[in-house]
Amino acid sequence: MKQDKILIVGTGALGSFYGALLSKAGAEVSVVCRSDYSTVKQHGFEIKSDVLGNWRFKPSQVLKSTTEYKGQADYLLLCSKVIPEIDRIELIKPAVSAKTRITLIQNGVEIEQPLIKAFPDNEIISGLAFVCCNRVAPALTHHLAYGKLTLGNVDESEHRPNGAQHLADLINKAGIEAIVSEQIIKDRWLKCLWNAPFNPLSVLSGGLSTADILSTQEPLIRTIMQEVMQIAKACGHPLAMDSIETNIQNTYAMPPYKTSMLLDYERHHSMEIEAILGNTLTAAKRENIPCPTLDTLYSLMKLIELKAKNKQKQQ
Amino acid sequence: MKQDKILIVGTGALGSFYGALLSKAGAEVSVVCRSDYSTVKQHGFEIKSDVLGNWRFKPSQVLKSTTEYKGQADYLLLCSKVIPEIDRIELIKPAVSAKTRITLIQNGVEIEQPLIKAFPDNEIISGLAFVCCNRVAPALTHHLAYGKLTLGNVDESEHRPNGAQHLADLINKAGIEAIVSEQIIKDRWLKCLWNAPFNPLSVLSGGLSTADILSTQEPLIRTIMQEVMQIAKACGHPLAMDSIETNIQNTYAMPPYKTSMLLDYERHHSMEIEAILGNTLTAAKRENIPCPTLDTLYSLMKLIELKAKNKQKQQ
């Protein structure tokens, strides 16, 4: 059997973890990495997984840019953050061949459209990772729990290609659950139902855990979720009626949790405000759905982002 | 002419400044102060005013509690913050005689009702201070600029008593402008038009100045102000149509400014969330005015207050 050629672009916690899994499953995995380049080039990645044990992931090619990639990738996994500073199309373009399946393992809603437009002849797979892992040092990734990957072709027509299934098979082979969804766009909206309230509120509260937020401001959480439900429905992706209830109950059952946006904020990294809130509001405006609460959260997050930038300038 | 007996309750920057002015004007001014008691008892207050020069204000009686007050006050000036931890009625009750005019120099809207109810036979004067002064050390107050005091009887009927005018005369005599308003409740709503957006946003943004907030999120400011306009109108105090425009333009003209709520937050003091936002929302609910933006701000401020309390517990 022919070995799959896979290129990972963006090797933070997520990219290094799934790259390491695909390598474990027998694929030929290369990486484009920026900050940790020299460490990765010399030693590869070290993966410390509380679930699968520890192993070293030595990429086939370690590159500074997609322009250096040799060969034709079967899959390109884009695992960067979705922030305005990153032009995702320019970032991956040089390594996209006619047969390359572009796979987005990224946060947010409506993040596929620009790539569909830029690469109309490529298969585009959208992916949602439910994983708890951290980059604890250069080229060192700690996988604490979970890992489930949901993959789906953004083309939901009957005769769509099925590259998502093969990728899921590889992840499953490596010991982590991956499934193929027939409605990945709706799945993104469902994830947004949780992300839209808890990510901004964790930052705006000054760093409260999801447990503290929910136990004191449940009505606000429900209001935000209701706005997201209405937008998703207007976009043609109605979520199940009990989605809010399920999300609320699941969050009560979770241990106190720091959101990715809060972690980014505390580390002085860019936050995915546009991917999570901005794109949601763009959809709402397009579909004429009023959402005063999301509007307010978005404006407040822009203020907090401005303050963070002002602070960094002063340092 | 008989010397006015005045008791100041709450001798932060505001209380010490207006107390010192009234003393300067010839009144017999006593004070109830907590934290700075021993310094004030020994040396009185030192007032450093960039407008009026420096002087020492030696109160007639320096007390730890209103229970110790000897005599009958003509005016009791309540200058404490309006926060749930302070029971304003219990605080002043022991020093309120039949003739005492209770004067509130405090922030917020609808803060008069509990006092009107508790002291139905006393004249109640509501006051708004436009002053820039700080307590820079125990019993040392720095007056930087402004100082105008607007006073008005909460009873707006024709045959109301006119204690406000005499108090304004004393302040004017001391060299700071004081005026009597025929519509002090409306004046409070007008002040709320500015306070309701800028106070919470300065905290929620992580500490931005009014200039940064306004120049990047003017539409949000306008939305919040529109909600306040509707509530004020429903409460019987319609503000002038151009109030929003005037406030916006005045704020653009102001130097970058830190709100009182932001200063309290930075100093780990209690914030006047209830007086400014909570009371506004109570009025909105009573009058059936929807105000999703103010609702969101209030909830977020409760979260940030919770986080601040959690932090203090940990220390």
Side-chain angles (χ1 to χ4, degrees):
Chain A
M1 202 181 126
K2 168 184 160 293
Q3 200 186 21
D4 294 284
K5 285 179 195 292
I6 298 178
L7 177 62
I8 311 282
V9 179
T11 53
L14 226 62
S16 61
F17 178 62
Y18 287 107
L21 289 175
L22 291 165
S23 173
K24 215 175 198 256
E28 183 199 304
V29 182
S30 298
V31 299
V32 173
C33 54
R34 283 179 311 168
S35 40
D36 300 349
Y37 175 80
S38 56
T39 316
V40 176
K41 184 87 183 167
Q42 260 192 294
H43 308 290
F45 290 94
E46 204 182 331
I47 310 291
K48 293 197 170 185
S49 168
D50 296 352
V51 178
L52 299 173
N54 304 343
W55 78 98
R56 194 166 285 280
F57 157 43
K58 290 279 255 176
S60 170
Q61 301 173 47
V62 178
L63 313 165
K64 282 187 176 168
S65 154
T66 45
T67 56
E68 301 165 4
Y69 185 63
K70 287 177 195 77
Q72 293 198 322
D74 298 300
Y75 292 91
L76 184 152
L77 265 64
L78 180 53
C79 304
S80 71
K81 283 205 288 185
V82 181
I83 47 177
E85 300 93 302
I86 296 180
D87 183 332
R88 294 182 297 153
I89 292 160
E90 290 306 311
L91 184 65
I92 66 169
K93 206 178 203 172
V96 175
S97 72
K99 68 165 185 178
T100 303
R101 293 156 174 139
I102 300 167
T103 306
L104 312 177
I105 303 186
Q106 301 189 297
N107 274 327
V109 290
E110 303 209 336
I111 62 163
E112 298 90 352
Q113 278 73 355
L115 288 128
I116 295 171
K117 212 176 150 194
F119 306 102
D121 300 325
N122 287 79
E123 183 178 347
I124 311 251
I125 299 165
S126 197
L128 293 168
F130 296 85
V131 62
C132 186
C133 62
N134 286 313
R135 173 190 172 280
V136 287
L140 174 58
T141 298
H142 182 198
H143 171 225
L144 293 91
Y146 312 111
K148 185 179 165 183
L149 192 63
T150 303
L151 297 166
N153 198 301
V154 295
D155 175 4
E156 292 181 358
S157 68
E158 209 180 326
H159 299 291
R160 65 186 178 277
N162 67 349
Q165 187 58 59
H166 181 63
L167 198 60
D169 291 345
L170 288 172
I171 300 285
N172 277 305
K173 197 175 159 192
I176 289 291
E177 188 188 3
I179 59 164
V180 172
S181 166
E182 305 286 311
Q183 44 176 25
I184 192 71
I185 305 298
K186 182 187 276 197
D187 295 337
R188 273 202 183 275
W189 279 107
L190 187 60
K191 199 173 182 191
C192 182
L193 196 68
W194 193 93
N195 276 333
F198 286 106
N199 271 287
L201 263 54
S202 63
V203 175
L204 291 167
S205 67
L208 283 179
S209 71
T210 50
D212 278 339
I213 294 168
L214 184 57
S215 61
T216 60
Q217 295 296 334
E218 190 182 313
L220 175 64
I221 300 291
R222 287 181 182 271
T223 301
I224 300 166
M225 287 184 170
Q226 266 146 17
E227 290 184 3
V228 175
M229 289 280 279
Q230 282 164 2
I231 301 164
K233 190 180 171 189
C235 292
H237 307 284
L239 305 180
M241 292 295 285
D242 63 354
S243 300
I244 291 179
E245 207 49 49
T246 307
N247 259 280
I248 297 272
Q249 296 316 325
N250 287 350
T251 307
Y252 271 122
M254 276 165 57
Y257 179 78
K258 275 194 176 188
T259 67
S260 64
M261 209 176 256
L262 177 57
L263 290 174
D264 281 336
Y265 179 68
E266 290 182 344
R267 291 168 185 164
H268 311 292
H269 292 172
S270 292
M271 294 177 281
E272 295 182 310
I273 301 171
E274 295 305 330
I276 292 172
L277 287 176
N279 289 0
T280 301
L281 286 169
T282 303
K285 272 170 194 58
R286 191 181 62 229
E287 307 295 338
N288 276 314
I289 305 295
C291 41
T293 315
L294 285 166
D295 273 330
T296 307
L297 294 186
Y298 176 76
S299 294
L300 292 173
M301 287 306 300
K302 296 305 281 182
L303 287 177
I304 220 161
E305 186 183 50
L306 174 64
K307 176 66 187 177
K309 279 180 187 164
N310 286 355
K311 260 191 202 160
Q312 284 190 309
K313 263 186 232 158
Q314 284 164 7
Q315 279 164 2
Chain B
M1 199 182 126
K2 168 188 158 292
Q3 198 186 22
D4 294 284
K5 284 179 193 297
I6 298 179
L7 176 62
I8 310 281
V9 180
T11 53
L14 225 62
S16 61
F17 178 63
Y18 288 107
L21 289 176
L22 292 165
S23 172
K24 213 173 199 253
E28 182 199 307
V29 182
S30 300
V31 298
V32 173
C33 54
R34 283 180 311 166
S35 42
D36 299 349
Y37 174 80
S38 56
T39 316
V40 176
K41 182 87 186 168
Q42 261 193 295
H43 308 289
F45 290 93
E46 203 181 332
I47 310 290
K48 295 199 169 184
S49 169
D50 297 352
V51 179
L52 300 174
N54 304 345
W55 78 97
R56 195 167 285 279
F57 157 43
K58 290 278 256 177
S60 170
Q61 301 173 49
V62 178
L63 313 166
K64 282 188 174 168
S65 156
T66 45
T67 56
E68 301 165 5
Y69 185 63
K70 287 177 195 75
Q72 292 197 323
D74 297 300
Y75 291 90
L76 184 152
L77 265 64
L78 179 53
C79 303
S80 71
K81 282 205 290 186
V82 181
I83 48 177
E85 300 92 302
I86 297 179
D87 183 331
R88 295 182 296 153
I89 293 161
E90 290 305 311
L91 185 64
I92 65 169
K93 205 178 202 171
V96 175
S97 72
K99 67 165 185 177
T100 305
R101 292 155 174 140
I102 300 167
T103 306
L104 311 179
I105 303 186
Q106 302 190 295
N107 274 326
V109 290
E110 304 210 333
I111 61 164
E112 297 90 353
Q113 278 73 355
L115 288 128
I116 295 171
K117 213 177 148 193
F119 305 103
D121 300 325
N122 288 79
E123 182 177 349
I124 312 252
I125 299 165
S126 197
L128 294 168
F130 296 83
V131 62
C132 186
C133 62
N134 285 314
R135 173 190 172 280
V136 288
L140 174 57
T141 299
H142 182 197
H143 171 226
L144 292 92
Y146 312 109
K148 184 179 167 185
L149 192 63
T150 303
L151 297 165
N153 199 302
V154 295
D155 174 3
E156 293 181 359
S157 67
E158 208 180 327
H159 298 291
R160 65 183 177 278
N162 68 348
Q165 188 58 59
H166 181 63
L167 198 60
D169 291 345
L170 289 172
I171 300 285
N172 278 306
K173 196 175 162 193
I176 289 291
E177 187 188 3
I179 60 163
V180 172
S181 167
E182 305 285 311
Q183 44 177 24
I184 192 71
I185 305 297
K186 183 187 275 198
D187 294 337
R188 273 203 182 274
W189 279 107
L190 187 60
K191 198 171 184 193
C192 182
L193 196 68
W194 193 93
N195 277 332
F198 286 107
N199 271 288
L201 263 55
S202 63
V203 175
L204 291 167
S205 67
L208 283 177
S209 71
T210 50
D212 278 338
I213 293 169
L214 184 56
S215 62
T216 61
Q217 296 295 335
E218 190 182 314
L220 176 64
I221 300 291
R222 287 181 182 271
T223 301
I224 300 166
M225 287 182 168
Q226 267 145 17
E227 290 185 2
V228 176
M229 289 280 278
Q230 282 164 1
I231 301 165
K233 191 178 171 193
C235 291
H237 306 285
L239 305 179
M241 290 297 283
D242 64 354
S243 300
I244 291 180
E245 208 49 49
T246 307
N247 259 279
I248 297 272
Q249 296 317 324
N250 287 351
T251 307
Y252 272 121
M254 276 165 58
Y257 179 78
K258 275 194 177 189
T259 67
S260 65
M261 210 176 257
L262 177 57
L263 290 174
D264 280 335
Y265 179 67
E266 289 181 346
R267 292 166 185 167
H268 311 291
H269 292 172
S270 291
M271 295 178 281
E272 296 183 308
I273 301 171
E274 294 305 329
I276 294 172
L277 287 175
N279 289 1
T280 301
L281 286 171
T282 302
K285 273 169 194 59
R286 190 182 64 229
E287 308 294 339
N288 275 314
I289 305 296
C291 40
T293 313
L294 286 167
D295 273 330
T296 307
L297 294 185
Y298 176 76
S299 294
L300 291 173
M301 287 307 299
K302 295 304 280 182
L303 287 177
I304 220 160
E305 187 184 50
L306 174 64
K307 176 66 186 177
K309 280 181 187 164
N310 286 354
K311 259 190 203 157
Q312 285 190 306
K313 265 186 230 159
Q314 282 162 10
Q315 278 164 3

